[in-house]
């Protein structure tokens, strides 16, 4: 099982802030994004966008980062704090 | 083995306002410091646009860790003796304080560089998002390429 | 014809201490500002050397004019909305405040650059001299080449 | 007549903070420095140093700046404020 979090405009578009997903074998961030595309039309639109950032266990990562069961994965738009 | 610079680092993410004065006073009390730089970001109203508020959302936990790592990296790169960062989240109205970064250093060029480095990282690497509320509705603030360019300046050659 | 940026400039040279807090509060009250940077220089004690005091001498009249011109140039170059400079003279003991430069701007990169520009000019162009009093006697502080190099960075190409 | 001011380490070495000098014809800062060399041994030593700065009417100037009667001229070492 992995926990997936959504923030900002993405959270609003998906109308949910998190999702638990069973994960039997390790996959990359990119592969996870592909999987999420099939979840709903809102997900399809959001996860085909190239502009999403991803954090695994609260660290910004690249798309080839591997995800293990138990990880906390977050997707969000480019940040705008400060 | 390189010797690690040790420094007093304080990082807070909170809805409440902060006191720039208190942060300055704490930094000025650090021994052997010749230079204190503080940066404060405020909710900026625009003459053309009737901004009602900014709503700041963040990723609890990751935000604090990111800010702390940035402060630690700034300490090492610029020999800082102390760093304080407070970032507010929630609903902020025009002219309210959003963020303060305060640094104490032996020399002024390190203090300036350290504070600006932290702000450039914060603007592009820390999971905080702003939503603008104005008279015509709400709008998520877009990331600026100028902020990314500012950040890229600091990458090690 | 280039339009001149107008801004609130305050310059003071005085023996009395100043309030960083008051200067910050005045800058933060300027409309349409998103960024406030303050720099404070303190009398820096050294662990090796027993500094008793710094004695600061200046050229009355010229000092104020120089600081005002520097502030005006910074306003034009970095679109600053306000500048406050206070420089103390006389006899100052370790950890006391020497100088504060505070600037308000629309954007953070202008605020950082404006404050650092003013400090780099101040260090090399303004007629103020420091004499160090320590346990072994007195010594006029020598100008540093690093300060001159910092200043040279700002020359227009 | 011109008024000449001295500051910092220079003031201390000369043991005076100012000097009034009659000026019948305009001269350059450099020419004035040469004149001042003849004033006393302390002046000779100080005004042959290349490291002095000069301000005329409270503005930093180069050595070829011309001085008129009535001007305020100041000599001082490199500044160390801030």
């Amino acid at each position: 099982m992995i926990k997936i979090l959504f923030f900002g405009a993405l959270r609003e578009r998906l109308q949910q802030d998190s999702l638990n997903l069973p994960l039997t074998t390790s996959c990359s961030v990119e592969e996870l994004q592909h999987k999420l595309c099939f979840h709903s039309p809102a997900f399809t639109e959001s996860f085909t966008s190239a502009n999403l950032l991803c954090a695994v266990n609260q660290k910004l990562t690249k798309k080839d980062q591997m995800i293990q069961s138990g990880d906390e994965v977050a997707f969000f738009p480019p940040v705008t704090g400060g | 083995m390189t010797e690690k610079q040790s420094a007093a680092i304080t990082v807070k993410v909170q809805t409440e306002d902060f006191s720039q004065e208190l942060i300055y006073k704490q930094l000025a009390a650090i021994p052997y410091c010749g230079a204190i730089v503080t940066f404060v970001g405020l909710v900026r109203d625009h003459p053309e646009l009737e901004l009602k508020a900014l709503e700041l959302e963040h990723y609890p936990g990751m935000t604090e860790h990111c800010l702390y790592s940035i402060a630690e990296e700034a300490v090492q790169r610029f020999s800082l003796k102390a760093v304080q960062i407070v970032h507010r989240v929630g609903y902020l109205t025009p002219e309210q304080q959003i963020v303060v970064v305060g640094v104490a250093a032996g020399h002024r060029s390190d203090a300036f560089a350290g504070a600006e480095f932290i702000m450039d990282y914060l603007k592009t690497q820390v999971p905080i998002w702003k939503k603008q509320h104005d008279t015509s509705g709400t709008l998520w603030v877009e990331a600026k390429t100028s902020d990314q360019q500012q950040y890229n300046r600091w990458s090690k050659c």
Side-chain angles (χ1 to χ4, degrees), chain A residues 8 11-12 72 77 80 82, chain B residues 57 59 87 128-131 140:
Chain A
R11 176 186 54 72
E12 231 175 44
E72 177 178 297
T80 56
Chain B
E57 174 174 335
Y59 183 170
H87 203 299
I128 304 175
W129 302 270
K130 282 197 197 99
K131 193 181 188 176
W140 287 96

Side-chain angles (χ1 to χ4, degrees), chain B residues 94-112:
Chain B
E95 292 172 29
Q96 280 201 288
Q97 302 183 132
I98 304 172
V99 59
V100 61
V101 170
V103 308
H107 301 285
R108 86 180 179 288
S109 56
D110 286 330
F112 275 115

Side-chain angles (χ1 to χ4, degrees), chain B residues 44-60:
Chain B
R44 192 182 176 214
D45 199 2
H46 297 260
E48 324 83 63
L49 142 104
E50 291 214 5
L51 180 72
K52 281 177 6 199
L54 284 183
E55 193 185 338
L56 281 97
E57 174 174 335
H58 78 124
Y59 183 170

Side-chain angles (χ1 to χ4, degrees), chain A residues 41-79:
Chain A
F43 272 71
T44 313
E45 200 190 323
S46 296
F47 283 93
T48 45
S49 152
N51 217 9
L52 281 187
L53 301 180
C54 180
V56 174
N57 299 326
Q58 306 196 350
K59 272 190 117 100
L60 279 178
T61 57
K62 295 191 173 158
K63 298 286 150 113
D64 59 0
Q65 166 79 29
M66 294 306 287
I67 299 164
Q68 319 293 337
S69 181
D71 283 350
E72 177 178 297
V73 182
F75 289 100
F76 42 79
V79 304

